[in-house]
Amino acid sequence: MARQSRFLLPGHPQHIIQRGNNRHIIFADDKDYLFYLECLQQGCCQHSCQLHAYVLMTNHVHLLLTPETDSSISKTLQSIGRRYVQYFNYRYRRTGTLWEGRYKAALIDSENYLLCCYRYIELNPVRAGMVEQGGAYRWSSYRHNALGEPNAFIQPHPIYLALGATDLQRQQCYRELCTHSLNQQTLNTLRQSTQKSWVVGSDKFKREIEQLSQRQAGPKQRGGDRRSIEYRQKQERIHRA
């Protein structure tokens, strides 16, 4: 079966997941996390990627990136892979691959899902039961976006900037957003869409992406009698939205 191609659209954010091979650890101590972040910063600078949010878990990473070119994300992750895998293998006297195949990616509808994706990424350690609140986890961008901890290579997305007129106002508003858990439907949408390289967004956004890319942006709708009046009326409402 041919592998699913990714949506590549400069200027639109993408949620990225990269896992350790067979879910094995990719970070064993602080030095590993710090070196990965160094690789991430350099890769983003060299290949024109804006980094909005991240979390480094024991055996996988989540990134929210906006690419400036079609190849920005792939080149950024390739550069990280070359440097970090070489470092990790040398340090722990191992050989072979570190990552579990290709990285996973989903194009994000900024207007409707961007801040959900911020929260999904940065609160991952809370959902995993590792900490009780985002600020207690060192290896994420939560402390910058919610608490104002300096982080020179995080670039705020315009949607995040619109949360307030000043840094303090934005941080306060974002902290308040983070007190509300994402509902299960949103969690499932972000997880499944990233795993399968679908678009995360409204029906209108998906139709726009399908027109630009000439390919399906999400799973086909199932169920319903396609010849029934109710089904046709539902489809007409969707396309008018």
Side-chain angles (χ1 to χ4, degrees):
M1 180 182 295
R3 64 186 185 183
Q4 180 72 41
S5 60
R6 303 186 187 96
F7 288 92
L8 301 173
L9 195 59
H12 282 263
Q14 293 203 30
H15 174 220
I16 307 295
I17 301 178
Q18 193 161 31
R19 298 187 182 278
N21 191 37
N22 293 323
R23 306 297 175 96
H24 288 168
I25 65 167
I26 54 177
F27 304 111
D29 64 18
D30 288 0
K31 289 183 179 179
D32 298 342
Y33 290 103
L34 290 169
F35 187 70
Y36 182 92
L37 289 175
E38 178 185 319
C39 295
L40 176 60
Q41 180 178 14
Q42 292 186 5
C44 287
C45 290
Q46 291 173 358
H47 302 294
S48 302
C49 261
Q50 297 178 24
L51 175 66
H52 309 303
Y54 69 85
V55 66
L56 311 184
M57 305 294 282
T58 307
N59 62 4
H60 67 284
V61 302
H62 291 261
L63 309 171
L64 182 59
L65 300 170
T66 294
E68 296 180 16
T69 72
D70 287 346
S71 62
S72 290
I73 290 178
S74 60
K75 287 184 176 179
T76 295
L77 293 178
Q78 285 169 10
S79 70
I80 294 170
R82 284 192 296 269
R83 291 188 63 200
Y84 188 75
V85 173
Q86 183 179 31
Y87 153 86
F88 193 88
N89 283 354
Y90 178 80
R91 186 175 186 204
Y92 296 105
R93 298 179 182 179
R94 66 183 298 279
T95 59
T97 185
L98 181 62
W99 307 114
E100 185 180 74
R102 304 167 74 220
Y103 68 87
K104 308 297 184 181
L107 192 68
I108 302 296
D109 177 356
S110 299
E111 183 176 348
N112 293 288
Y113 280 92
L114 184 87
L115 292 176
C116 290
C117 195
Y118 264 81
R119 293 153 58 200
Y120 174 77
I121 290 171
E122 294 180 344
L123 298 180
N124 202 314
V126 178
R127 291 193 302 275
M130 300 170 69
V131 294
E132 292 186 2
Q133 51 186 315
Y137 192 74
R138 182 180 177 187
W139 307 111
S140 87
S141 52
Y142 179 90
R143 291 185 179 187
H144 174 75
N145 288 322
L147 304 175
E149 183 177 277
N151 193 326
F153 68 102
I154 294 292
Q155 298 187 50
H157 190 277
I159 297 291
Y160 172 86
L161 290 175
L163 290 175
T166 67
D167 287 344
L168 289 177
Q169 289 177 358
R170 288 188 282 270
Q171 291 155 19
Q172 180 179 357
C173 184
Y174 184 65
R175 286 196 303 272
E176 292 174 358
L177 280 175
C178 288
T179 63
H180 303 286
S181 299
L182 295 171
N183 62 51
Q184 193 60 48
Q185 181 178 355
T186 299
L187 288 172
N188 290 342
T189 295
L190 287 165
R191 288 168 179 159
Q192 294 170 8
S193 297
T194 305
Q195 182 67 27
K196 297 181 179 181
S197 297
W198 295 125
V199 171
V200 179
S202 65
D203 291 333
K204 179 181 178 182
F205 181 76
K206 290 178 182 178
R207 289 197 300 274
E208 291 172 351
I209 297 303
E210 287 176 343
Q211 291 173 358
L212 287 171
S213 63
Q214 295 299 300
R215 55 168 286 206
Q216 187 178 329
K220 292 180 179 180
Q221 292 185 347
R222 296 180 179 180
D225 181 357
R226 293 175 179 269
R227 291 174 295 181
S228 70
I229 295 175
E230 291 81 6
Y231 181 86
R232 291 198 299 269
Q233 288 176 340
K234 180 181 178 181
Q235 294 304 303
E236 288 174 1
R237 289 196 300 271
I238 289 174
H239 287 286
R240 287 198 301 267

